[in-house]
């Protein structure tokens, strides 16, 4: 059972890597972090790089991370503060997910360790969308959807 879940998590990561390889202006990098996360990187420093946390030694080109987790897969993507609103993100999540049960978690609210969810966080320097796909929802996000490609291309273009 565990091997089956690990294989599904690896398949999910591969789908997202392939999606980002089709996005102009970014690249996927293995920064050698212990948890095996992959970094979604801009080709030059992002406009919000001064807001990245130096204690985490984050690259000035970081747009986000893809992280395999024991209970699924997580995607974190940063973009300039105020450039994309919650309604646009909500619309994209609804159009790309073939599964029901993706919860919207408000900033400051505790996230579920069992259910799949998405969260929109804001800060002075940049905003972040987090999408967590738990094991039972792996494979339910359509990463070939033109909507998600256009949305992610917009985020990468904002990083230029």
């Amino acid at each position: 059972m565990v091997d089956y879940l690990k294989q599904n998590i690896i398949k999910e990561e591969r789908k997202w890597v392939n999606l980002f390889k089709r996005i102009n202006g970014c690249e996927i990098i293995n920064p050698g972090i212990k948890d095996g996360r992959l970094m979604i990187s801009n080709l030059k420093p992002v406009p919000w790089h001064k807001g990245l946390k130096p204690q985490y030694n984050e690259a000035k080109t970081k747009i986000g991370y893809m992280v395999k987790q024991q209970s699924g897969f997580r995607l974190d993507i940063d973009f300039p503060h105020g450039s994309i609103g919650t309604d646009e993100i909500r619309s994209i999540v609804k159009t790309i997910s073939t599964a029901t049960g993706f919860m919207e978690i408000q900033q400051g609210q505790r996230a579920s360790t069992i259910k799949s969810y998405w969260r929109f966080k804001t800060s002075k320097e940049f905003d972040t969308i987090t999408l967590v796909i738990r094991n039972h929802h792996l494979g339910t996000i359509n990463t070939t959807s033109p909507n998600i490609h256009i949305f992610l291309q917009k985020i990468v273009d904002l990083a230029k």
Side-chain angles (χ1 to χ4, degrees):
M1 179 81 150
V2 174
D3 288 336
Y4 175 75
L5 292 175
K6 282 183 182 179
Q7 289 174 357
N8 283 342
I9 292 168
I10 290 168
K11 283 181 191 176
E12 189 73 27
E13 180 184 63
R14 198 173 302 132
K15 284 175 32 180
W16 286 96
V17 167
N18 288 336
L19 171 60
F20 277 101
K21 283 182 177 180
R22 294 189 315 267
I23 304 290
N24 294 321
C26 73
E27 57 187 351
I28 303 301
I29 296 173
N30 182 346
I33 298 174
K34 195 183 231 182
D35 65 5
R37 70 182 59 197
L38 298 176
M39 184 173 69
I40 304 158
S41 180
N42 197 31
L43 301 178
K44 59 182 183 175
V46 294
W48 60 87
H49 72 271
K50 291 181 181 171
L52 297 172
K53 297 180 177 170
Q55 66 267 32
Y56 297 134
N57 199 25
E58 293 182 312
K60 292 179 180 181
T61 59
K62 181 194 85 126
I63 294 173
Y65 289 114
M66 290 185 268
V67 186
K68 291 180 286 202
Q69 299 179 319
Q70 186 175 357
S71 61
F73 180 79
R74 187 178 88 220
L75 179 69
D76 297 300
I77 303 175
D78 303 332
F79 44 90
H81 175 68
S83 60
I84 298 174
T86 308
D87 290 340
E88 184 176 356
I89 294 169
R90 188 177 293 120
S91 171
I92 292 298
V93 171
K94 283 181 182 178
T95 64
I96 64 168
S97 174
T98 59
T100 56
F102 268 85
M103 299 174 43
E104 178 179 352
I105 304 291
Q106 300 298 317
Q107 186 168 341
Q109 188 179 11
R110 276 185 77 90
S112 173
T113 57
I114 300 168
K115 296 182 180 180
S116 298
Y117 67 89
W118 66 274
R119 175 184 289 166
F120 177 61
K121 292 189 274 185
T122 63
S123 70
K124 289 189 294 185
E125 297 85 10
F126 59 91
D127 297 340
T128 304
I129 180 172
T130 298
L131 178 65
V132 175
I133 307 165
R134 299 293 183 207
N135 290 333
H136 57 281
H137 281 138
L138 290 170
T140 64
I141 301 291
N142 182 3
T143 57
T144 61
S145 164
N147 291 338
I148 194 161
H149 187 275
I150 290 166
F151 178 71
L152 293 174
Q153 185 66 63
K154 177 180 180 178
I155 288 174
V156 170
D157 289 346
L158 289 168
K160 293 179 182 175

